[in-house]
Amino acid sequence: MVSKTKEITTLIKNAKKEARAEVKKTPQEEAPYTGPVKWPVNCIVGPGLEGAIACESKIGYVNGSKGELIYRGYDIFDLCAHSSFEEVSYLLLHGELPTGKQHERFSSQLLHCRRVPQTIRTLMGFPVEKMNAMAALRLGTNLMRQESTYVDQEAYRPDRFPSISADEDSIPMETRPRGEKHAIYEFKEKKGGSKPKEVDKKYGPPVGFTPTYRLISGVATIAGAVERIRRGALPLEPDPDLSHAGNLVYMITGRRPTPIEERIMDVTLILHADHGMNASTFATMVVASTLSDMYLAVGSGIAALNGPLHGGANAEVLKMLREIDDPKKAKGWFEQTCEKKKKIMGFGHRVYKAYDPRARVLGPLAEYLVENRGSDEIKRLYATAKELEKLAIARLGETKGIFPNVDFYSGIVYSCLGIPVEMFTALFAVSRVAGWTSRVMEYLENNRIFRPRAVYAGSFGKKYVPVAKREE
Ligand code: SDX
C-alpha cells in the first residue's frame, strides 16, 4: 500500500512547503498561549470566552497567526505524511507515539472495541432513518454506556426490569396516582428476577481508559450503522482486516476502499482529531469536570459539534456550493452575501487568522480526488469552491484574517469517497472523539469543575406583586 499511496505523502509534503512559505507574510506571533500556567492567570476575555484560558494542556497547540497545528509536539503535516489515526489517537491519549509493541496492543484493543453488537441491536429499535445523524450518533453513545459502564449495571440500569411488552400507544398514563395496590404495571423486581451482570472491576473509575477506547472505536461503528439504517440496509460487521479508516469507509458505503481512499480517509481522520479548546471539546470537558462519565461527556461533544458554526459547517459548505453551482456565478453570490453581511460557510475561525493548515491538506486532497475520480457535479463544485476561495481571501483575508477553515474542502473529499452529506459531521465526530477523550483524561488528573461567572446587568430591589394585582 505504501508505494500506491506515496503520491499522497508527496502531496502533503508539498502542502507543508507552501504553508511555511506563506507564513513569512503573516503578522508576528500571537499573544503566547504556550508554556506552563501560573494560576491565577491574567487574560483579556471577550464574549463567547474569546481569549479565556481554561486550563493548561500538553495535548495540542493551535498557532492562530502562523496557521500552525501541533499534537503533542508533532507538526500536523508530519503526522499526516507519516502516521495513522490509530497512532495519532495513541499519541493524543498517552503523550508519545507508540512503540511497535504498544501499537500492536493498542490496535488490538481498538479492534476488540470495534464490535458493539448489543448497542447496534438496540439502536435498530429506534427510527434512526428519520433522525439527524448526529442525534442518532449521540443516542448510540448512550446505548454504549448502557452496555459498558459498571455504573449502569450496578445501580441505575433501567432495563433491569422486563420491558413493558405493550407498544407505545397502549401504555396508559395514570391521571392521578392511585397508590401501590392499583399500580397498572408492577415495576417492583420480580422475586428472583434477573440480577445485574457481575460488575466488572476492570472498569475501575468510570473514566478509566476502557471507555475511551470503546468510544474511539465504537463511535465509528455506530456511524456506519446509522448510515446503513438510514439507507434501509442492515449494519455491516466491521472487517478486522481493515484499518480504522478503511472500516469507516467500508461500514458507511458498503464498499471496501482502495488503498488510496483508505489513506485519504486516514489523513482526514488525523486532521480532525484534536483542535485545542474548541466548543465541542470544551463541552465534553465541562460535563466530565462534574465527574459525570465519559459516554455522557462525549454525547455532549457530539451535540455541540452538530451546530453549523462548528462541525456542522462541512455539510453547510456543500449545500452552499450546490446553491452557487457554477464558478461563473461565484462572484455574484459572494457580493450578495457580503452585502447581506452573511457568513460564508467553511471560512473564518476564532483562532486562525491565517490559512487553516488542515485546509492546506484537504484542499489538495480534494483536487486529487476530483481529478482522479470526480463526477461532473463534484468537478463543478470544486471549481466553484476554488473561485469562491479566491474572492473571499482577496476581500476578507488580509483585512479580517478570514481564510478557509477545516470545513471548506472536507465535504468534497468525503463526497469523492462516497460519503453522503448527511454523514459529514458524524465523520468529524468519529475523529474528534480522540481529542475529546484525551483532553478529558488529561483534565481529570487535576480536575476542577468548570464554573465561569456571568456579569449581572439586571435590576435589584423589586417588590413581589401577586398575579391578581399585576397590570396586563
Ligand atoms: C470549526 O474552534 C475550533 O477550533 C473549531 C474547529 C475545530 O477543529 O474544532 O476549527 C472546527 O468549527 C471550524 C469553523 C466552522 N464554521 C464555519 O465555517 C461557519 C462560518 N464561520 C463563522 O461562523 C465564524 O468564522 C466562526 C464561528 C468560525 C468564528 O466566529 P467568531 O470568532 O465568533 O467571529 P465573529 O463571528 O465574531 O466574526 C468576526 C468578524 C465579523 O465581522 P464584523 O462584524 O467584525 O464586521 O468576521 C466576520 C464577522 O462577520 N466573519 C465572517 C465569517 N466569519 C467571521 N464573515 C464572512 N464569512 C465568515 N465565515
Side-chain angles (χ1 to χ4, degrees):
M1 175 162 134
V2 174
S3 58
K4 286 213 183 102
T5 58
K6 218 161 69 247
E7 47 196 310
I8 302 301
T9 306
T10 312
L11 176 153
I12 294 165
K13 288 179 175 170
N14 292 340
K16 177 180 182 179
K17 254 191 241 133
E18 203 186 300
R20 293 292 177 264
E22 278 280 301
V23 156
K24 292 200 184 61
K25 296 183 222 146
T26 52
Q28 283 323 305
E29 193 72 13
E30 64 189 1
Y33 285 94
T34 53
V37 177
K38 291 182 194 60
W39 302 103
V41 65
N42 279 327
C43 45
I44 300 184
V45 183
L49 292 180
E50 180 158 16
I53 292 172
C55 63
E56 183 180 307
S57 172
K58 296 188 174 68
I59 291 182
Y61 173 54
V62 178
N63 183 317
S65 62
K66 290 189 161 181
E68 287 175 357
L69 171 59
I70 56 172
Y71 294 166
R72 297 275 192 190
Y74 293 89
D75 183 278
I76 193 67
F77 289 106
D78 296 345
L79 292 171
C80 287
H82 308 296
S83 190
S84 68
F85 179 69
E86 287 87 338
E87 253 202 1
V88 164
S89 298
Y90 186 96
L91 172 68
L92 291 171
L93 280 170
H94 300 295
E96 289 302 338
L97 285 170
T99 62
K101 278 210 167 41
Q102 289 166 336
H103 187 270
E104 208 180 303
R105 195 166 52 243
F106 182 63
S107 298
S108 70
Q109 277 164 321
L110 290 187
L111 192 64
H112 171 72
C113 296
R114 206 172 279 164
R115 291 192 71 253
V116 282
Q118 304 255 35
T119 298
I120 302 300
R121 177 180 59 76
T122 317
L123 185 68
M124 291 174 74
F126 290 86
V128 167
E129 65 289 349
K130 295 195 192 100
M131 290 172 82
N132 158 303
M134 290 289 269
L137 198 68
R138 185 181 191 197
L139 170 62
T141 55
N142 275 331
L143 299 173
M144 264 187 105
R145 178 180 191 277
Q146 204 57 27
E147 294 307 322
S148 312
T149 45
Y150 81 103
V151 171
D152 299 300
Q153 283 155 6
E154 188 59 13
Y156 310 113
R157 193 177 181 123
D159 67 1
R160 284 170 60 187
F161 308 105
S163 57
I164 297 165
S165 56
D167 67 41
E168 189 75 28
D169 318 340
S170 69
I171 296 179
M173 311 288 279
E174 290 194 21
T175 50
R176 54 185 170 71
R178 290 187 287 166
E180 276 299 304
K181 61 180 182 324
H182 299 293
I184 299 173
Y185 292 96
E186 281 304 318
F187 279 109
K188 273 206 254 358
E189 193 165 351
K190 295 242 173 322
K191 290 268 166 302
S194 63
K195 285 261 166 298
K197 270 192 260 173
E198 199 34 50
V199 176
D200 188 337
K201 296 288 181 225
K202 82 168 183 304
Y203 286 133
V207 287
F209 276 106
T210 306
T212 302
Y213 297 166
R214 283 186 191 283
L215 283 159
I216 290 175
S217 219
V219 166
T221 306
I222 295 169
V226 166
E227 172 50 19
R228 295 284 293 178
I229 300 169
R230 284 164 44 82
R231 211 187 294 166
L234 282 175
L236 287 166
E237 279 283 326
D239 177 343
D241 298 333
L242 289 174
S243 67
H244 191 84
N247 245 314
L248 184 60
V249 177
Y250 166 60
M251 291 189 289
I252 287 184
T253 64
R255 187 179 52 79
R256 283 174 177 70
T258 64
I260 290 248
E261 289 170 331
E262 185 170 8
R263 175 90 171 85
I264 289 175
M265 178 53 88
D266 200 27
V267 170
T268 307
L269 289 172
I270 292 172
L271 287 169
H272 286 81
D274 182 65
H275 209 248
M277 209 42 64
N278 59 84
S280 54
T281 297
F282 187 54
T284 308
M285 291 172 69
V286 167
V287 169
S289 76
T290 69
L291 295 190
S292 180
D293 66 56
M294 192 64 92
Y295 295 90
L296 293 175
V298 163
S300 60
I302 292 172
L305 190 69
N306 181 57
L309 290 187
H310 190 12
N314 55 17
E316 294 302 317
V317 168
L318 207 75
K319 288 178 200 155
M320 171 184 79
L321 294 175
R322 283 199 172 123
E323 185 194 319
I324 304 170
D325 199 32
D326 178 343
K328 293 196 226 37
K329 294 182 185 153
K331 187 158 177 43
W333 181 90
F334 178 70
E335 293 305 336
Q336 240 184 32
T337 305
C338 289
E339 255 152 58
K340 290 184 210 149
K341 285 200 161 305
K342 278 175 69 187
K343 299 215 166 140
I344 305 162
M345 291 292 120
F347 275 85
H349 200 274
R350 176 61 62 78
V351 178
Y352 287 127
K353 301 310 168 197
Y355 208 108
D356 186 329
R358 300 167 296 178
R360 286 201 181 282
V361 176
L362 288 163
L365 287 180
E367 183 180 30
Y368 175 89
L369 283 167
V370 166
E371 269 167 17
N372 288 280
R373 44 168 302 142
S375 63
D376 290 347
E377 189 217 12
I378 206 74
K379 283 187 166 60
R380 206 174 50 249
L381 295 180
Y382 177 71
T384 305
K386 290 304 281 179
E387 188 55 29
L388 187 57
E389 174 184 351
K390 241 179 3 210
L391 292 163
I393 290 180
R395 176 83 64 86
L396 305 167
E398 301 316 320
T399 51
K400 291 193 166 183
I402 293 172
F403 290 88
N405 60 47
V406 66
D407 293 307
F408 190 58
Y409 286 110
S410 56
I412 293 184
V413 171
Y414 291 147
S415 296
C416 291
L417 295 176
I419 311 288
V421 62
E422 296 79 5
M423 293 302 291
F424 286 2
T425 310
L427 256 59
F428 197 148
V430 163
S431 168
R432 189 55 61 87
V433 178
W436 292 335
T437 52
S438 302
R439 287 182 180 264
V440 164
M441 297 300 282
E442 179 186 59
Y443 188 74
L444 289 180
E445 281 162 24
N446 293 301
N447 185 47
R448 183 158 168 66
I449 190 168
F450 282 103
R451 206 285 187 208
R453 297 292 301 269
V455 173
Y456 176 66
S459 43
F460 287 91
K462 291 196 155 185
K463 292 276 168 282
Y464 182 80
V465 177
V467 64
K469 295 211 171 87
R470 282 173 221 156
E471 278 145 42
E472 288 302 333

